[in-house]
Structure formats: structure tokens, C-alpha cells
Amino acid sequence: YTDYGGYEGMEGGYDNSGVVVQDGNKDLESLVLESLTNLSGSGRGTLWQCNHCGKEDKDKSMLKRHVESHFHFKHSCPYCGKEYKSRPSLQCHISTKHKE
């Protein structure tokens, strides 16, 4: 799982509807992992399920990105303030719009 944190101005963590956490990546990662169920023991191969809506996916990283959207975290760009629902979307924005 890629850590998309460490941006300038993000030392206090991510904005979770007005609640700032000290280690945004750690807290968000914990929430996401607690929201996944491994269904591999059900004889269906490696399969993961979102505990919030029941969505299933073989790709754990894609389902983790999906689960993150249930928490309504806002990931703001430290350069322009644009907000994104997921860390990968913010990272993509930064790498394409704010090249050095």
C-alpha cells in the first residue's frame, strides 16, 4: 500500500470533515483495513469484501481505494487547495499539475 502523505503543509494529517488527526496515514490505513474482509476461506480464491457496502474485488489495493471513499476524507492539494476523495487521486493531480 503506497503512502501518499508527506506533502508540504500536511504535517497535521488529513482533513476528515473538520477533524484533524496527528498521523493521517496511520489512522486512515487502520480504518481501511478494518473495513475489509478476506473471503479467501470461502473457496472463491483470493477475494476481498468491503464491510460497508458488500462490494467484492480480487485486487486488494483497488478495494482499499474504494473503501476509503466511504469515510468522506478530503485530501487537499497543498499547492492549489483542490480536494480529492482519495490519496491516489491527489497524488496523480500533484504529479501532473504541479511538476517542478
Side-chain angles (χ1 to χ4, degrees):
Y1 189 70
T2 305
D3 178 1
Y4 291 99
Y7 306 117
E8 292 178 31
M10 299 288 285
E11 293 82 11
Y14 294 100
D15 177 6
N16 180 14
S17 302
V19 177
V20 176
V21 293
Q22 291 304 310
D23 185 349
N25 287 327
K26 181 180 177 185
D27 292 345
L28 180 56
E29 177 72 6
S30 296
L31 286 171
V32 168
L33 290 175
E34 290 169 4
S35 300
L36 293 176
T37 299
N38 185 338
L39 301 177
S40 298
S42 63
R44 299 161 66 177
T46 302
L47 191 64
W48 295 89
Q49 184 177 47
C50 172
N51 295 341
H52 295 275
C53 67
K55 178 177 178 161
E56 298 176 356
D57 201 315
K58 291 180 180 181
D59 186 339
K60 183 179 180 181
S61 63
M62 290 302 292
L63 194 59
K64 285 171 75 171
R65 184 175 178 176
H66 160 79
V67 166
E68 191 175 312
S69 70
H70 286 294
F71 295 110
H72 306 289
F73 277 86
K74 295 177 184 172
H75 307 283
S76 299
C77 175
Y79 301 104
C80 68
K82 188 167 181 172
E83 294 183 343
Y84 292 88
K85 290 182 181 181
S86 71
R87 291 178 287 173
S89 296
L90 174 60
Q91 179 61 33
C92 181
H93 163 78
I94 290 172
S95 66
T96 57
K97 301 294 183 185
H98 302 290
K99 294 179 185 175
E100 296 202 35

